Amino acid sequence: MKSFRTLACRFAAPAALAILAAAALTACGTLPAPGTRSVQIERTTYGIAHITAQDYEGIGYGVAYAHAQDNVCQTAEHLLTVRGERSQFLGPQNTGELGLGRATNAQIDLFIRAHMDDAALARAAATTSADAKASLRGYVAGYNRYLQDTGPNGLPEACRGKPWVRPMSVADLSRATEMSMIQGGVGALAGAVLAAAPPAPGSKTSAAPVDLPQAVAEIARHRFNANPQGAELGSNGWAFGRNATPDGHGVLLGNPHFPWTGTNRFWEMHLVIPGKLDVMGATGGSSPVVAIGFNKDVAWTHTVSTGQRFTLYELKLDPSDPTVYLVDGQRRKMLARTITLPAAAAVPGAAPASHTFYSTDWGPVISLPAAGLGWSATTAYAIRDANTLNVRSAESWMKMALAHNVGELRAAMANQGMPWINTIAADRDGNAMYADQSVVPDVSAEMLKTCAPSPRAAALLHAANLAVLDGSRAACAWQRDPGVAAPGIMSPARMPVVITPDWVQNSNDSYWLSNPNIAPMAGVSPLVGAVGGTQRLRTRSGIMEIEGRLAGNDGLPGNKMGQAELRSVIFRDKNLAGMLVMDDLVAACNANAAALSADAAQGCRVLAGWDRTSNSASKGAPLFREFWRKAKDVPKVWRVPFDAARPVATPAGLDMATPATRDAVFKALGDAVGIVRAAGYAIDVPLAQVQTRIVQGQTITIPGGEEFEGVLNKVQSLGQPTLSAGGYQINYGSSYIQAVTFDDRGPVAYGILTYGQSSDPASPRAYDQLAMFSQKQWLPLPFHAADVAAQRVGQPVTLAY
C-alpha cells in the first residue's frame, strides 16, 4: 500500500494552492515510521468504536482511522470544502453545504479562500497544549493511514477512485475546526459577506427605509439558533441531582438535535489511555475528542446557547469614497482582496468565478439589504466573530474527559473553548450543573447603550436580538478583560452557571429558566441571553414533564427521576402545541359547525379524535402539523398572552372569540386538509404512514414532531415546506441520545444514534439503529471491560504506526 501513499502525496501538489500543497506534502512526509507504537480498535454492537492507545497521539490516530472506516467519503468531501476546491472537482454551479445552509460550489470556494488564514491558524494552534497538538497530529496521520491501507479503488462508491480524495494535512484539519467554530457567526452570514459590494457611483446616499418585520425575518433566516423552522442546531439537556433521583446519584439526559447528513453528524466512540483516560460518548466529524459523553464520575451534554457569537459594526463612510470609513474622525481604507478561482474550476468556455471582498479593522463587510443592513454611499456594516481562530475547543473537551465532578468540568471550560454551546452535567455525587461558558463578545448592557448605532440599526437589538455597535468610535471595540483566554471574549466568571442538588434543563432558550425555582444570575450581558421573554414550546414542555415527574402526577410510580423514568419521559412524544390549543379548537368547531367549509369541518372531526401526541400510531398528527404550521402565525392567535410571571404556562389557548382570528384559524385548518389530501393521504392518516425511512428494504417508522409543535423528540424535514407525496423526508433532529447515571462501579449508560455510525448508504452501519429508535428502545452502552467483551463484534484490529 505504500504506492498509494506515494501516489496520493504526489497528487496533492498540482491540484492545491501552493500553501495547501506544501502542508499536504508535509503531512504525508511526516507519518510515523510503522511499528514504533500501536493502537487497538474494537467494535461492539452497532459498530461503536473502542480505541485504546498509549497516548493522545495514538488516540487521535485510532479515532481518525475508525471514523474513516464508516465515513471516509463524508470526510473527503468536507476536506474538499475547506480547501476551497469544490468547483474544480464537483462543478461551480452545483451546490454543497456551507455551515448549516447550502450554496453553489463557486460561492463556497470563494468564501473559504477569503476567510481561511493558514498562517494565523497555525500561530493560534501553537499556543495549545502538547497533548492537544499530539491528538490532532495523530488524527491527520490516522486518516491518511486509512487511505493508504484501503487504496483509491477500495473506497465506498461515493468517492471511489475520485481525484479529490487526497491525504489530510494539519492545515486541512485546522480549517475544518475553524468551519465548525464559525458556523454560528460569519459562517452563517457567508452569503452576506459574498453580497457586499460598494454602491455604484451616483446611487442613493442613504439606505432605503426598513420594514422591521421583514428585517427580523431576514435576520432569522441567517441565524444559528433563532429560526425554529430552519436549519437550527438545537437540543434538550436535563440533569438531576441527589434531591431529584431515587439513589442520590446524578442522572443526565443528552438529546442533541442535529443534521442527519454532513459533518455535523455524531459518531460514537470510547477512548482509553490505560491509567489516564477512560471516556465514552460521541463526536462530530474531523474531531479526535468526545464532545458529549461520560466517564466514571461525570456525564455531560451540550445545547446550543442563546449567546451571541458576533456583533456588527455600523460604519460611517467618507462621502467621497464608500470604501473609506471613519473612526474617531480618522479615515481608514478598507482592504480590498480579489479572489479568483483556478481556471480548472470554471465551466468550459467561461471565465472562473471571481469576487472582491472588503474588510475593515472590525472584520469583513457584509450586506443584508432586506434587513436594512445594506452598503450605501454613507453607511456600511462589518461583522466581528468571536469564534474566529478559536482553536481551544479540543483542549476543553480533553480536560472535561478527565473531570471527577461538575466543578472540575466547569474548570475544564475556563480556557473558553466552548464555541456556541451550553453545558449540562451530572456527577455520581449527585450534583447537577447548567453552565453557559460559551464564547460571547464582551459587550455589557451599558456598552450597548453608549455604543448604539443609528436608530434603525439599534432597533434590531430588541426586534431581532442582533447587536450592532457604532463602528465610528474606537471606544466601541469589545472590552478586554485581562483574565480571559482570548481578548474581547466575556469572562467565564460573568457567564451564568447553576450548580444544584436539584435539577437543571435547557432546550435552547436562555439561562433564565434553567431551573424556574432558582433565581438566575444577575448582571449578565444581554448578549448572553434574554430574561423575561416568551419561551419556545420545547422548553415549556421539558419543564412541564420534569415538574410533573417530580410531583409524582405524571402516571409513573414515585416522584423521582431515575434513569428508567428519564428514558420513558423523553419518548412520550407529547405535542405541546396540540395540548395548548385543541380544547379551544374543538369547542369552536362545535359552536360554528354550520358555518364551516367542508374541508374545515372534516378537519374538525379528525382532530377532535387526535390523541395530541406525535407517536407513530397517532391518527391526525400529520393534519395537526400542517394546520399548526399555518395557524401559529395568525396575528394574536393566543387566547392567553405571555405572562412573565407564568412563563411555562403561557401563552396558551386559541382566541376564537375574535372573528378575524377565528376565520384565519379555520382557513388554516381547511388549507391543511387540502395539503394532506393533495399529498395523496387520507386526512386522518397516522404519522406512521408519512414519517418513515426505508432501511435495507424495511420500512421504519419515525416518531417525533417539529420544533413548532413543541415535541421534545424533535425530528424535521428541512427543505420540505409541507407534507408532500412520499411523506416527510426526515433529515434532522434527534441524533445521539444518552441517558446516564452511576452506581458503585461507575457509569450506567444507555444510548441511541438514530442514523447509525456510517454515512455510506451501502454500509450495514447506516441507519441500523433507526429501528431501535422507532421502537423507543435503548442500547446499554458498554463502558466497562466486561461489557465491551460481551458486546464485541468481530476481532480487534491493532495498527502499528
Side-chain angles (χ1 to χ4, degrees):
M1 290 299 175
K2 183 177 180 180
S3 61
F4 174 71
R5 174 187 172 195
T6 303
L7 174 64
C9 291
R10 287 176 179 170
F11 181 82
L17 293 172
I19 189 167
L20 289 179
L25 288 166
T26 299
C28 293
T30 57
L31 288 173
T36 58
R37 285 174 289 176
S38 66
V39 56
Q40 178 178 274
I41 302 171
E42 297 178 88
R43 298 277 188 166
T44 55
T45 306
Y46 294 116
I48 296 175
H50 302 258
I51 296 155
T52 303
Q54 301 163 350
D55 53 29
Y56 280 106
E57 185 168 359
I59 288 292
Y61 193 99
V63 170
Y65 193 98
H67 185 267
Q69 289 177 318
D70 294 329
N71 300 288
V72 63
C73 294
Q74 172 186 286
T75 300
E77 184 176 344
H78 189 56
L79 293 178
L80 193 64
T81 296
V82 300
R83 290 168 181 152
E85 295 180 346
R86 293 186 64 87
S87 299
Q88 182 174 343
F89 294 99
L90 304 180
Q93 299 306 314
N94 293 324
T95 63
E97 293 182 355
L98 181 59
L100 295 181
R102 295 191 70 83
T104 68
N105 290 332
Q107 291 174 317
I108 293 171
D109 291 346
L110 289 168
F111 174 78
I112 291 293
R113 289 170 182 246
H115 176 83
M116 295 297 177
D117 185 335
D118 293 315
L121 285 168
R123 288 193 299 270
T127 66
T128 61
S129 69
D131 284 342
K133 293 186 185 76
S135 181
L136 298 175
R137 186 170 62 245
Y139 194 94
V140 170
Y143 176 81
N144 292 343
R145 169 69 179 275
Y146 179 78
L147 295 185
Q148 172 186 325
D149 287 354
T150 307
N153 295 321
L155 299 175
E157 182 179 354
C159 59
R160 185 178 303 145
K162 301 295 185 183
W164 45 268
V165 179
R166 305 202 307 277
M168 181 188 294
S169 70
V170 173
D172 291 336
L173 187 56
S174 293
R175 285 177 169 223
T177 301
E178 175 77 352
M179 277 303 299
S180 179
M181 298 299 103
I182 66 170
Q183 62 183 323
V186 69
L189 287 165
V193 174
L194 286 160
S203 60
K204 293 181 179 179
T205 58
S206 60
V210 177
D211 180 319
L212 195 56
Q214 177 182 330
V216 171
E218 177 68 9
I219 292 166
R221 193 169 66 84
H222 292 272
R223 294 307 287 270
F224 190 56
N225 58 352
N227 181 1
Q229 295 187 69
E232 171 201 22
L233 294 186
S235 300
N236 302 311
W238 300 351
F240 300 88
R242 68 183 74 91
N243 293 348
T245 64
D247 60 6
H249 293 306
V251 174
L252 177 90
L253 168 73
N255 177 208
H257 303 144
F258 269 56
W260 287 16
T261 61
T263 57
N264 281 311
R265 282 173 52 104
F266 285 105
W267 186 74
E268 294 174 285
M269 63 186 188
H270 180 195
L271 311 180
V272 177
I273 299 176
K276 182 173 185 178
L277 174 72
D278 195 355
V279 62
M280 190 172 188
T283 189
S286 304
S287 173
V289 296
V290 169
I292 292 176
F294 54 91
N295 60 26
K296 69 182 182 66
D297 296 311
V298 63
W300 69 94
T301 190
H302 298 300
T303 62
V304 175
S305 93
T306 54
Q308 303 303 299
R309 312 305 156 198
F310 63 90
T311 64
L312 300 186
Y313 279 91
E314 186 175 69
L315 310 176
K316 293 182 180 178
L317 305 180
D318 185 328
S320 65
D321 186 347
T323 64
V324 171
Y325 61 105
L326 306 176
V327 178
D328 295 336
Q330 301 298 308
R331 300 173 81 253
R332 297 187 184 182
K333 182 72 173 177
M334 294 178 185
L335 176 64
R337 181 185 175 204
T338 299
I339 303 292
T340 301
L341 300 184
V347 173
S354 181
H355 185 75
T356 299
F357 295 85
Y358 294 84
S359 61
T360 70
D361 291 343
W362 303 117
V365 180
I366 68 164
S367 181
L368 274 176
L373 301 171
W375 189 344
S376 72
T378 59
T379 308
Y381 296 87
I383 181 172
R384 183 180 179 191
D385 188 338
N387 270 313
T388 299
L389 301 180
N390 179 2
V391 298
R392 304 176 299 277
S393 61
E395 194 162 355
S396 294
W397 279 310
M398 291 171 73
K399 291 179 179 178
M400 291 167 71
L402 303 176
H404 295 91
N405 52 56
V406 297
E408 291 185 11
L409 200 73
R410 177 186 183 182
M413 297 183 281
N415 73 336
Q416 298 177 290
M418 296 293 96
W420 27 260
I421 45 180
N422 301 301
T423 301
I424 296 89
D427 62 32
R428 67 187 304 161
D429 296 325
N431 301 298
M433 180 180 74
Y434 162 84
D436 188 346
Q437 299 285 276
S438 62
V439 172
V440 175
D442 195 347
V443 177
S444 65
E446 180 61 26
M447 185 175 172
L448 288 170
K449 295 177 182 177
T450 59
C451 286
S454 64
R456 53 186 283 136
L460 297 175
L461 178 61
H462 296 292
N465 198 27
L466 180 66
V468 185
L469 303 177
D470 183 355
S472 70
R473 298 166 52 206
C476 293
W478 298 344
Q479 298 166 210
R480 299 174 69 90
D481 188 325
V484 302
I489 296 176
M490 194 86 66
S491 166
R494 290 161 47 216
M495 296 289 288
V497 177
V498 174
I499 297 178
T500 176
D502 297 320
W503 59 272
V504 293
Q505 66 77 39
N506 185 267
S507 288
N508 310 118
D509 278 307
S510 79
Y511 63 94
W512 176 37
L513 298 179
S514 57
N515 182 319
N517 302 313
I518 299 175
M521 180 176 174
V524 177
S525 166
L527 264 63
V528 178
V531 170
T534 304
Q535 304 295 285
R536 66 180 64 216
L537 292 181
R538 260 192 309 114
T539 295
R540 297 167 61 188
S541 182
I543 294 173
M544 289 176 183
E545 291 282 23
I546 291 168
E547 292 182 336
R549 172 83 292 269
L550 298 181
N553 60 14
D554 67 344
L556 294 176
N559 63 348
K560 299 291 185 179
M561 186 71 87
Q563 188 189 60
E565 291 83 1
L566 183 66
R567 288 188 280 131
S568 172
V569 168
I570 193 61
F571 280 161
R572 284 174 175 162
D573 288 328
K574 290 182 178 178
N575 190 305
L576 183 57
M579 296 167 66
L580 292 173
V581 306
M582 278 308 305
D583 286 347
D584 286 345
L585 181 62
V586 170
C589 286
N590 293 334
N592 297 273
L596 296 178
S597 69
D599 281 351
Q602 290 182 42
C604 284
R605 286 192 291 272
V606 169
L607 292 184
W610 173 49
D611 65 5
R612 305 179 191 186
T613 77
S614 292
N615 285 305
S616 293
S618 180
K619 286 189 173 184
L623 177 63
F624 179 81
R625 181 176 300 174
E626 297 309 322
F627 158 69
W628 191 240
R629 193 192 303 274
K630 291 175 172 289
K632 66 181 174 54
D633 296 325
V634 171
K636 299 181 180 179
V637 70
W638 298 107
R639 174 172 51 80
V640 181
F642 172 71
D643 180 353
R646 301 172 59 229
V648 179
T650 60
L654 286 175
D655 182 15
M656 301 301 276
T658 300
T661 301
R662 182 174 62 245
D663 292 346
V665 167
F666 281 137
K667 182 180 186 306
L669 181 55
D671 290 347
V673 168
I675 288 169
V676 174
R677 188 182 293 124
Y681 299 102
I683 63 173
D684 66 345
V685 62
L687 197 60
Q689 293 184 27
V690 302
Q691 197 160 276
T692 64
R693 177 179 284 269
I694 297 176
V695 179
Q696 297 179 359
Q698 180 182 2
T699 299
I700 307 295
T701 61
I702 302 174
E706 290 263 7
E707 173 75 27
F708 60 81
E709 296 178 280
V711 181
L712 290 168
N713 179 26
K714 175 173 129 179
V715 294
Q716 289 184 270
S717 48
L718 296 180
Q720 185 179 6
T722 64
L723 180 64
S724 56
Y728 296 115
Q729 306 302 309
I730 301 300
N731 54 13
Y732 180 92
S734 286
S735 50
Y736 172 69
I737 313 171
Q738 64 175 22
V740 186
T741 189
F742 302 88
D743 62 13
D744 293 341
R745 290 200 308 157
V748 179
Y750 287 79
I752 305 171
L753 184 61
T754 53
Y755 39 67
Q757 289 281 80
S758 180
S759 56
D760 174 14
S763 169
R765 295 177 185 146
Y767 289 95
D768 58 342
Q769 297 187 47
L770 192 63
M772 182 169 58
F773 175 67
S774 173
Q775 298 162 17
K776 302 185 179 183
Q777 298 176 348
W778 298 69
L779 174 71
L781 296 179
F783 180 83
H784 303 288
D787 299 326
V788 172
Q791 287 195 34
R792 183 178 294 131
V793 175
Q795 294 300 311
V797 173
T798 299
L799 300 173
Y801 69 99

